[in-house]
Amino acid sequence: EADIYQTPRYLVIGTGKKITLECSQTMGHDKMYWYQQDPGMELHLIHYSYGVNSTEKGDLSSESTVSRIRTEHFPLTLESARPSHTSQYLCASSRRDSTDTQYFGPGTRLTVL
Amino acid sequence: KNQVEQSPQSLIILEGKNCTLQCNYTVSPFSNLRWYKQDTGRGPVSLTIMTFSENTKSNGRYTATLDADTKQSSLHITASQLSDSASYICVVSDRGSTLGRLYFGRGTQLTVWP
C-alpha cells in the first residue's frame, strides 16, 4: 500500500468557487504528478513536478494550477470551478529515476454543479 | 503517434475461470510496460513491470507477457476471484525524455461473477 494521500475524496461544489485538492506523500519521492480521468477513459497528465519549486504542465491543457513548496506536498487549485471541471483527479509520485513505478493516491471525485 | 490500445473493453467471467487481457502499443522508443489494477473509486496499483528484454513476469495469479517485436502484451489471470473485479490498465513508458512519459490505455473492465 502506497503512502500517498488525497483529500477530499469527494467534492460537490457550485460554479465559480475556488477549490484546492490536496495531495501528500510520505515516501520522500522527488517526482509528483496530477492526472485527470473521466469514466471509461485513459488517464491524462495535467501537471508534474521534478522537485521543490519545479512545476510543469502536462499533455492535457488544464485551467488548474499547482505548487510544490515542500517535497511531500503537491496541491492543485482551481480558481473558478466550472461544470467542465467535473472529473476524477489522481495524484501520483515516483522516485527520481524516470523508469520508477508511479504510486497513485485514491483520487478526488470532483463534481461542479 | 504513440498510442496504447486495450481489448476487450469489458469482460465478464465466472469465479474460478481464467482470462486474458490484451494490450497493443505503438510507443517508441520503448522503455517498459506496466499493468495496473484500478478498483472502482481508487487509484491504480502496479501489478507487473517488464522491460524490453523480459517476455514474461508473474505476480501471484497474474502473469504478464511481452512481445517487443510485435509490440503486444497480455495479462493472464488464473483462477479468478471476486476481488479481481476492476479495471486493468496497460501503461507504456518511453525513454525519449527525462520524464519517462507514460502512455495509458483506457483499460479493460473485468467483472467476476460468483
Side-chain angles (χ1 to χ4, degrees):
Chain A
E1 198 74 22
D3 295 323
I4 181 164
Y5 309 97
Q6 291 185 243
T7 58
R9 291 294 314 280
Y10 304 92
L11 180 61
V12 180
I13 201 165
T15 298
K17 299 293 184 182
K18 177 180 178 179
I19 61 169
T20 297
L21 307 185
E22 301 289 347
C23 175
S24 61
Q25 50 95 7
T26 58
M27 297 173 283
H29 286 170
D30 290 311
K31 293 184 175 180
M32 296 190 74
Y33 316 80
W34 275 103
Y35 291 90
Q36 187 172 337
Q37 184 183 31
D38 293 318
M41 302 297 287
E42 63 267 47
L43 279 72
H44 291 286
L45 181 67
I46 52 175
H47 298 284
Y48 60 94
S49 167
Y50 288 120
V52 172
N53 294 326
S54 154
T55 61
E56 302 285 346
K57 289 192 177 294
D59 305 317
L60 182 67
S61 175
S62 174
E63 295 167 343
S64 58
T65 59
V66 292
S67 63
R68 189 87 183 275
I69 299 173
R70 303 198 314 266
T71 298
E72 62 272 20
H73 198 213
F74 192 40
L76 180 146
T77 298
L78 273 168
E79 290 293 333
S80 180
R82 294 206 300 268
S84 60
H85 296 137
T86 295
S87 189
Q88 165 123 326
Y89 292 85
L90 289 162
C91 180
S93 71
S94 67
R95 287 193 294 258
R96 186 181 301 273
D97 192 311
S98 64
T99 61
D100 278 345
T101 298
Q102 291 189 14
Y103 294 89
F104 286 84
T108 293
R109 169 68 64 184
L110 173 65
T111 301
V112 183
L113 303 176
Chain B
K1 181 181 178 183
N2 289 323
Q3 283 185 309
V4 177
E5 301 285 346
Q6 290 188 243
S7 62
Q9 184 177 353
S10 62
L11 181 63
I12 300 174
I13 62 173
L14 294 177
E15 187 178 13
K17 298 296 185 181
N18 305 335
C19 67
T20 300
L21 315 179
Q22 300 291 343
C23 173
N24 297 334
Y25 63 92
T26 59
V27 177
S28 181
F30 174 86
S31 176
N32 58 69
L33 184 147
R34 293 176 172 89
W35 283 93
Y36 277 88
K37 178 186 179 187
Q38 184 176 22
D39 292 313
T40 301
R42 308 288 299 181
V45 174
S46 180
L47 293 175
T48 63
I49 175 173
M50 288 181 292
T51 58
F52 187 88
S53 59
E54 297 173 298
N55 55 23
T56 187
K57 184 76 70 77
S58 291
N59 178 3
R61 294 180 296 103
Y62 302 104
T63 300
T65 64
L66 174 65
D67 185 335
D69 292 331
T70 61
K71 298 187 177 182
Q72 295 179 326
S73 176
S74 65
L75 180 69
H76 186 73
I77 304 175
T78 304
S80 61
Q81 300 176 358
L82 298 180
S83 59
D84 291 333
S85 294
S87 179
Y88 291 84
I89 303 172
C90 177
V91 185
V92 181
S93 175
D94 70 12
R95 49 181 172 82
S97 69
T98 54
L99 178 64
R101 190 170 298 278
L102 301 185
Y103 298 88
F104 291 81
R106 293 187 176 185
T108 292
Q109 183 65 48
L110 175 66
T111 303
V112 180
W113 282 1

